[in-house]
Amino acid sequence: MTGAHRTLHSMFKLIAMLAGLWAFAPGQASAQNAYPPTVSGRPASESAALQSHVYFTPWDDAEGAIMRAIRSAKVQVLVQAYSFTSGAIAGELINARKRGVDVRVTADQEQTERIATSRIPDLARAGIPVWIETRYQSAHNKTMVIDAGQALPIVITGSYNWTVAAQRRNAENVLILRGAAELAQAYKANWERHRGDALPYVSR
């Protein structure tokens, strides 16, 4: 089995696990808060340490969970951003860089240039390397890969942009996976592929 096939196999098993976790009878949850704030999953594949946590905004504190994950970084944080206006998340990335973590960011060109409250300039001024994606109509990935290749890698993905609106006004989802080593390597490889097509950000 190739590395790509192993990764896909692990992903399918993980999806099956999550589907099983969310099985519940109609009417057991209220319309106000139809889902529990977090779910911790049992191992789905190769690692006994695999954990999954899911957050749904505006009910759950997804921003806080993302910030805690960044604080746990030991070696590296790779970020893919579409829209980025959250000062809290930007601040955690800047703090991570200050404590010696290798923080790198790719960002969508149109969103970075159009939105006056974008935090991309703040990250660049803090010394975080930023690349702007110009190849695509929308660089719509919203991911973070933390400590890929280390003992407890983290992958953050979902519909959630790194924005104030994503937490306070939008209906979004965030999935945080800990210990999924092959998945983290796949997301890191995809980040590197996008970085290779992007242009270095020029501070404004």
Side-chain angles (χ1 to χ4, degrees):
M1 186 180 292
T2 67
H5 288 154
R6 281 196 302 271
T7 298
L8 287 172
H9 183 62
S10 296
M11 290 175 68
F12 288 145
K13 290 167 74 176
L14 181 60
I15 290 167
M17 176 199 74
L18 292 173
L21 288 169
W22 287 113
F24 66 97
Q28 288 185 344
S30 69
Q32 176 68 22
N33 192 5
Y35 302 99
T38 62
V39 168
S40 296
R42 291 294 299 163
S45 57
E46 74 280 2
S47 174
L50 178 63
Q51 291 183 319
S52 61
H53 300 266
V54 65
Y55 301 83
F56 298 100
T57 64
W59 301 284
D60 303 331
D61 184 16
E63 184 176 73
I66 293 163
M67 292 166 63
R68 288 191 296 274
I70 296 169
R71 283 185 212 126
S72 75
K74 302 292 192 297
V75 177
Q76 187 178 65
V77 181
L78 302 177
V79 182
Q80 287 182 292
Y82 178 62
S83 182
F84 198 144
T85 65
S86 170
I89 293 176
E92 286 298 340
L93 291 172
I94 291 169
N95 287 339
R97 174 175 168 78
K98 288 179 180 178
R99 67 174 189 270
V101 176
D102 175 24
V103 180
R104 305 182 186 195
V105 177
T106 64
D108 178 79
Q109 180 181 30
E110 190 268 343
Q111 292 288 303
T112 300
E113 294 177 351
R114 183 179 65 84
I115 298 178
T117 56
S118 173
R119 297 293 179 170
I120 295 298
D122 298 337
L123 298 178
R125 281 192 291 268
I128 293 174
V130 177
W131 291 265
I132 298 299
E133 298 207 52
T134 61
R135 177 176 176 178
Y136 310 98
Q137 179 173 319
S138 295
H140 211 242
N141 287 300
K142 285 89 71 171
T143 70
M144 290 191 193
V145 188
I146 299 173
D147 291 345
Q150 303 301 308
L152 191 64
I154 299 174
V155 173
I156 304 175
T157 189
S159 68
Y160 188 101
N161 282 297
W162 320 122
T163 63
V164 175
Q167 177 60 56
R168 299 181 184 175
R169 295 190 292 275
N170 296 352
E172 307 281 3
N173 70 86
V174 178
L175 182 62
I176 300 180
L177 301 164
R178 289 178 170 83
E182 292 184 7
L183 199 62
Q185 291 291 355
Y187 271 86
K188 180 178 180 178
N190 187 56
W191 187 93
E192 295 286 1
R193 175 169 54 189
H194 278 266
R195 193 276 304 268
D197 288 335
L199 300 175
Y201 174 74
V202 179
S203 297
R204 64 191 188 200

